[in-house]
Amino acid sequence: MAAFMREEESYMNGFRQSKIEVAVVGDGASGAILCAQLLRSIRPDEIHVRWLGRSKKFGLGLAYSTSDPDHLLNVPSKGMSAFENDPLHFLNWVQARDKKASPESFLPRQWYGEYLSALVPAGHPSLTVHPDDVMQIQKVSHSYQITTRKNETHPADVVILAIGHCLSKARFGRRPSFPLAEVDGQARILIVGTGLTMVDTVLTLGRAPRQNEIVAISRHGLLPMVHARHDGNPGASHFRKIIHGSKPPTLRQAFAAMRTDCAEAESRGGDWRSVVDDVRPFIPSVWKSFSPADRRQFLRHVVHFWDSHRHRMPPEVAEKIYYLINSGRLKIKKGRFTSLVEEDGSWTVNWRSDTHELRRERFDHVFDCTGLSRDLGATDSPLVRQMLRDGLLVISDPPLGAFPAPEAAGLEVLGHLLRGEYWESTAVPEIRKQAAAIVDRLLKLLN
Ligand SMILES: Cc1cc2nc3c(=O)[nH]c(=O)nc-3n(C[C@H](O)[C@H](O)[C@H](O)COP(=O)(O)OP(=O)(O)OC[C@H]3O[C@@H](n4cnc5c(N)ncnc54)[C@H](O)[C@@H]3O)c2cc1C
């Protein structure tokens, strides 16, 4: 999402005569990938990159801070390079330490965190790193002023927001970022949500010698599907046909085409996964062409289906999860909560099952694994709130994220914030593409 091309002329006039000051805000995977791509492409005398983030260790962010060896990437290593034009970059890096890693391996996320941390060359002459929380970004004439929690200010001609998940407070109990090792091994646990965050939490809490009984509840009770090798043949012929038609498809048409493709793939002895994988790169453009009403329909009626098929578990993870289910330690249920009350260190949970029965159960811990909020307007981030208030960011419709206002020349965003614009905007294949587009726009300004 570029704002800086729209006012290119006035913006260029505003550049300092010396180096262009680029501030990258956010120290997770998006910030690391963006910085790495940028530093690969520029001459040190052209640009100074200021990388700001609130974490102790840069490059890890929410997904790759884990040290649990059972937490695996849910994308095979061949899909995880930080550079779209160098697709085996991650695999080559990994193979230098583990010769057995193959393009199809699902590797520990901790390794990916190490890859990301190593990606941005410390001591690069064009880079300075600032561990600090960015509280405000204000437009000052043709550039920006960044104010941090430590009350430092930094000038920037270009600001790139890579602030990621913008998680608000847990709606139910605690977030699983709580140190799970501290949870008593006999405690009874409720997990709200049945997606990949639940899977991560269960992998940690379900590991022997722990004996926790875990109940995971979500509205549809759908577990993520399991990855399987498929022939890789592009399977989405009906879907491709309608998106390349004279009019952009409606949600109903797009979804119907995809279902037909899945049915045909299966009837040929193929696999629905080849259809989902084939459709995925088109989602950002299809989502953009959907009306806000269609986007809302998707969130109401389709998202659970899409998520469980698109965000899949590696087979070795699925084996552990199904072992826990079959041994009765993990129960997956469908239902809605009517109340969760914490009293004297335990939780009383009232919920209604899919058969409309009212249930009351007690748990020692409740973990909120419901994932990302769908209302950026309710974010706790002071920075995002200020930028929305000052009109630098505009909230998407529906309010899943935000994009730079047309007047905010020099402001770029990538990753989660763009979910409202592209829907598929949070995984590495999308992030590296968005980063490359930002770097391209920046280089065009230099030439
Ligand atoms: C558990 C999990 C597993 C995933 N697994 C995969 C996978 O296998 N493959 C894949 O392709 N994708 C995966 N993803 C999706 C994607 O790769 C990640 O979401 C990725 O980490 C996104 O990185 P990010 O930098 O955009 O966001 P984040 O990880 O949220 O990082 C943003 C960083 O910015 C900092 N920040 C925010 N606001 C400020 C501020 N105001 N000032 C300073 N710093 C700030 C935050 O503290 C944070 O460190 C996974 C996601 C999750 C949550």
Side-chain angles (χ1 to χ4, degrees):
M1 248 302 138
F4 65 62
M5 295 305 280
R6 289 195 284 276
E7 287 185 15
E8 188 175 330
E9 215 174 302
S10 62
Y11 174 54
M12 284 302 286
N13 292 340
F15 271 159
R16 286 172 188 76
Q17 293 309 302
S18 53
K19 289 183 188 181
I20 297 177
E21 289 287 340
V22 176
V24 178
V25 180
D27 53 76
S30 304
I33 291 173
L34 192 278
C35 286
Q37 292 194 8
L38 192 53
L39 294 172
R40 259 192 177 194
S41 319
I42 54 162
R43 288 202 323 264
D45 59 333
E46 293 174 324
I47 289 183
H48 169 235
V49 181
R50 209 180 286 270
W51 191 13
L52 301 112
R54 62 163 83 105
S55 309
K56 286 200 188 90
K57 191 156 183 212
F58 274 42
L60 307 181
L62 185 68
Y64 309 111
S65 309
T66 177
S67 55
D68 189 321
D70 286 338
H71 290 173
L72 302 185
L73 293 170
N74 53 46
V75 174
S77 61
K78 66 179 181 196
M80 291 297 289
S81 168
F83 307 95
E84 203 177 30
N85 58 5
D86 186 359
L88 296 184
H89 190 264
F90 173 57
L91 183 63
N92 293 337
W93 180 89
V94 168
Q95 282 178 336
R97 60 191 285 176
D98 178 3
K99 293 247 171 322
K100 291 201 295 288
S102 82
E104 305 298 333
S105 310
F106 295 95
L107 298 169
R109 292 215 303 275
Q110 186 180 11
W111 292 12
Y112 196 71
E114 288 166 23
Y115 165 72
L116 289 172
S117 301
L119 208 56
V120 183
H124 190 287
S126 295
L127 176 74
T128 52
V129 175
H130 303 259
D132 206 346
D133 202 347
V134 173
M135 303 304 286
Q136 268 198 356
I137 298 178
Q138 286 164 313
K139 193 145 199 304
V140 183
S141 182
H142 291 299
S143 56
Y144 292 89
Q145 175 165 290
I146 295 174
T147 309
T148 69
R149 188 179 288 278
K150 293 179 192 158
N151 218 13
E152 286 172 5
T153 56
H154 304 281
D157 300 301
V158 175
V159 173
I160 302 165
L161 280 188
I163 53 176
H165 293 78
C166 294
L167 286 180
S168 6
K169 281 196 194 74
R171 281 185 297 153
F172 310 98
R174 296 190 172 97
R175 294 231 176 252
S177 48
F178 176 81
L180 295 178
E182 288 177 20
V183 173
D184 174 48
Q186 304 285 336
R188 192 157 189 266
I189 289 164
L190 170 66
I191 296 182
V192 184
T194 56
L196 285 173
T197 312
M198 177 282 290
V199 167
D200 263 9
T201 310
V202 167
L203 287 173
T204 305
L205 292 176
R207 192 184 298 126
R210 306 184 67 90
Q211 296 184 329
N212 299 101
E213 185 198 338
I214 306 170
V215 178
I217 302 180
S218 70
R219 247 191 264 171
H220 298 276
L222 285 176
L223 272 176
M225 297 286 174
V226 184
H227 275 289
R229 287 259 179 102
H230 55 75
D231 53 17
N233 286 333
S237 56
H238 291 86
F239 185 85
R240 281 168 177 261
K241 199 164 154 203
I242 65 157
I243 61 166
H244 292 124
S246 53
K247 271 201 333 212
T250 61
L251 172 67
R252 188 180 286 271
Q253 290 166 333
F255 197 58
M258 206 175 106
R259 287 181 89 118
T260 309
D261 285 326
C262 287
E264 284 187 5
E266 303 264 307
S267 70
R268 282 196 311 267
D271 193 319
W272 56 264
R273 292 170 186 81
S274 68
V275 177
V276 173
D277 293 353
D278 195 24
V279 160
R280 177 177 161 186
F282 297 106
I283 295 295
S285 59
V286 173
W287 179 265
K288 233 173 154 36
S289 73
F290 282 163
S291 65
D294 263 358
R295 294 178 186 182
R296 277 191 281 275
Q297 285 286 91
F298 173 87
L299 295 175
R300 213 169 294 132
H301 301 298
V302 185
V303 68
H304 54 278
F305 173 84
W306 174 254
D307 277 356
S308 65
H309 287 73
R310 144 79 179 87
H311 299 280
R312 305 195 286 267
M313 293 185 269
E316 46 274 62
V317 167
E319 204 176 299
K320 291 183 177 132
I321 294 296
Y322 281 101
Y323 170 79
L324 289 168
I325 292 176
N326 294 334
S327 61
R329 293 231 352 249
L330 171 62
K331 295 189 175 67
I332 305 288
K333 298 188 179 178
K334 212 178 190 181
R336 281 167 190 261
F337 297 98
T338 52
S339 71
L340 288 93
V341 180
E342 187 181 21
E343 206 172 21
D344 299 331
S346 74
W347 290 81
T348 304
V349 176
N350 292 303
W351 61 284
R352 193 182 289 277
S353 74
D354 56 329
T355 52
H356 303 289
E357 285 161 81
L358 270 176
R359 307 258 170 91
R360 168 177 285 228
E361 294 189 58
R362 287 181 79 80
F363 294 94
D364 301 303
H365 292 273
V366 175
F367 290 108
D368 184 342
C369 295
T370 52
L372 302 171
S373 154
R374 299 210 188 128
D375 182 7
L376 188 75
T379 179
D380 298 334
S381 162
L383 174 64
V384 173
R385 288 214 306 264
Q386 171 261 319
M387 293 183 80
L388 288 170
R389 216 172 34 242
D390 290 0
L392 294 174
L393 287 175
V394 179
I395 215 145
S396 310
D397 182 10
L400 298 164
F403 55 90
E407 309 75 46
L411 176 64
E412 291 271 351
V413 306
L414 81 161
H416 284 80
L417 271 185
L418 290 181
R419 263 193 338 147
E421 298 304 290
Y422 300 128
W423 181 249
E424 286 294 337
S425 182
T426 59
V428 168
E430 282 80 27
I431 289 171
R432 68 186 180 197
K433 199 183 196 123
Q434 293 172 10
I438 293 175
V439 171
D440 260 9
R441 289 194 284 273
L442 204 42
L443 294 180
K444 278 201 187 104
L445 289 178
L446 286 171
N447 295 327

